[in-house]
Structures are given as structure tokens and as C-alpha cells.
Amino acid sequence: MSFREKTAWAMGAILIAAGIWYFQRVIGLSEALGETAAPNMRFVIGYIILVILASILVNVIIASSAGKEAEAPADERERAILDKAGHWSGYVLAVGAVAGLWHFSWLHDGNLLFHIIFGALMASQIAEYAFQIFLFRRGV
Amino acid sequence: MAKRPPIGNRIRELREQHDNMSQAALAEAIGVTRQTVIAIEQGRYSPSLESAFRISRVFGVGLEDVFSWLEPRDS
């Protein structure tokens, strides 16, 4: 498995774990309040710090075992894969954004809009790594 | 599954003819990763024209001695 595929697996796992951590708190708080919880910057900043620290740790571990491969820039096939995965993940973000706007137009719940858009951002990042893994394995 | 490009190649055969050159050595010679050489050999990736020329120059042969267009089979 190439260095970039290992990184994609690791980043996907980190983002899924951090996303679960974030939404567990948002859902828990919403249930306690009996309505959609307002955006809580403590959770958002906690999510961002969790993702950054875990990413640094995991990337250092993977890079230390990959040797020269970790230092080399992406080659033409890897660049094509990264571009295509980034392009496809944009659709995931767009679908999430449209879903958020659709909900807002019906429910007029700005808090829900925030959570849907933030969730779509997370989902598009996870999807980007999933598409990368798919393309690394199946060809571009 | 991703559609395979209709391009065949003799890279494996040419590597064997060149002192069993490893995929890693070929990858380093043309400036790509070993996984990319594997993908090219297996027909899962069509290299850029530049990489195709680099591969043929490593083996000292022409482009069409390495790569060939695969005509679609009649079914």
C-alpha cells in the first residue's frame, strides 16, 4: 500500500471518529434541550483541535515508516487521483448544502442549517479520502 | 470498476529482458512511484506521454515497442 493510500485510510478514520465525537455531543445537547442545539463553538473548536492533533500524530507515524516515499511529491497518477477525488467530494458538499437550505426553507431552523452544513463539510472530507482509496485501488 | 484504457504494454517483458529490472528501479528512473509502475503494467493507468517516452528511453526502444493500442474485440 502506498504512502498516500495509508494516509487516506488514516485521515478517513480520524475524520469519522471526530465526526462521531462531535455529533454525539450535539445530539446529546439537543435531546437535553428538547430542540436543535445552537452551534456550540466549544464543540467546533474541540473537533478542529482533535482532527489537527490526530492528523499530525498519524502522519508522523506513517511518514516515519514510509522513508523516501513520504518526501517525494505526488506523481502524475497520484495527482490525477487527488484531483478526481477532490472533484467528486465537491458534489457531496453540494448535496449537503442543498439539503441544509431545503430544511431551512421548510423548518426555518438556523441551528439545524448550521449542523447540516458542518456535517456536509465533514462528509465531503470523508468522501474525498474514500474516493482516493477507491481510485488508488481500482485505477483512475 | 474503473474502465481500463485500451492500451497494452510490454513493460514486464522489457524489465525482464533488462537484467530483471525491478519495478522500483523503473519507477525511480522515470520519476513516479512503484505503485504507478504497477498500475501501468497491469493496464489500470495510462501514463502521460512524457512518462511513456521516459519508459521507452529507459529500455532503449521506441514508444510502440512498449505500448500498443488494443482494438476492441467483436462479441
Side-chain angles (χ1 to χ4, degrees):
Chain A
M1 194 187 294
S2 71
F3 166 69
R4 283 187 175 76
E5 189 182 336
K6 282 181 197 165
T7 305
W9 277 107
M11 288 305 298
I14 288 168
L15 289 169
I16 288 170
I20 289 170
W21 176 86
Y22 175 84
F23 277 108
Q24 269 182 346
R25 267 140 195 85
V26 170
I27 291 167
L29 187 60
S30 298
E31 281 174 351
L33 293 169
E35 61 182 18
T36 311
N40 187 320
M41 282 303 125
R42 274 177 36 221
F43 294 166
V44 174
I45 291 167
Y47 168 84
I48 292 166
I49 290 172
L50 187 65
V51 168
I52 290 171
L53 291 180
S55 304
I56 291 169
L57 182 69
V58 165
N59 275 290
V60 166
I61 292 167
I62 295 173
S64 64
S65 64
K68 267 170 43 181
E69 197 187 345
E71 293 165 24
D75 71 14
E76 60 180 51
R77 175 176 149 272
E78 291 171 333
R79 281 197 303 274
I81 288 171
L82 300 180
D83 287 350
K84 195 175 268 190
H87 179 72
W88 288 352
S89 73
Y91 290 113
V92 176
L93 178 59
V95 167
V98 170
L101 295 172
W102 188 82
H103 272 88
F104 185 74
S105 71
W106 285 97
L107 303 172
H108 304 288
D109 185 344
N111 294 335
L112 184 60
L113 174 65
F114 176 89
H115 296 309
I116 290 174
I117 298 288
F118 197 57
L121 270 172
M122 292 178 190
S124 73
Q125 278 297 298
I126 293 165
E128 184 169 352
Y129 290 115
F131 291 140
Q132 284 180 17
I133 292 164
F134 173 78
L135 291 168
F136 275 124
R137 292 186 164 246
R138 294 301 179 98
V140 62
Chain B
M1 187 167 173
K3 194 179 170 189
R4 287 185 178 235
I7 297 169
N9 70 78
R10 294 176 51 233
I11 294 175
R12 186 172 183 167
E13 188 186 328
L14 288 162
R15 281 196 303 105
E16 286 167 357
Q17 287 171 10
H18 284 74
D19 299 329
N20 275 324
M21 178 189 277
S22 68
Q23 290 168 327
L26 177 59
E28 192 167 346
I30 64 170
V32 299
T33 61
R34 190 173 70 88
Q35 285 75 23
T36 295
V37 168
I38 293 168
I40 295 169
E41 263 192 31
Q42 293 177 348
R44 288 188 289 115
Y45 173 67
S46 292
S48 66
L49 193 54
E50 182 184 339
S51 290
F53 269 108
R54 285 184 190 280
I55 292 168
S56 63
R57 285 173 68 89
V58 166
F59 294 128
V61 295
L63 258 188
E64 289 199 278
D65 296 316
V66 184
F67 297 99
S68 56
W69 181 261
L70 301 174
E71 292 296 340
R73 287 185 209 154
D74 294 329
S75 54

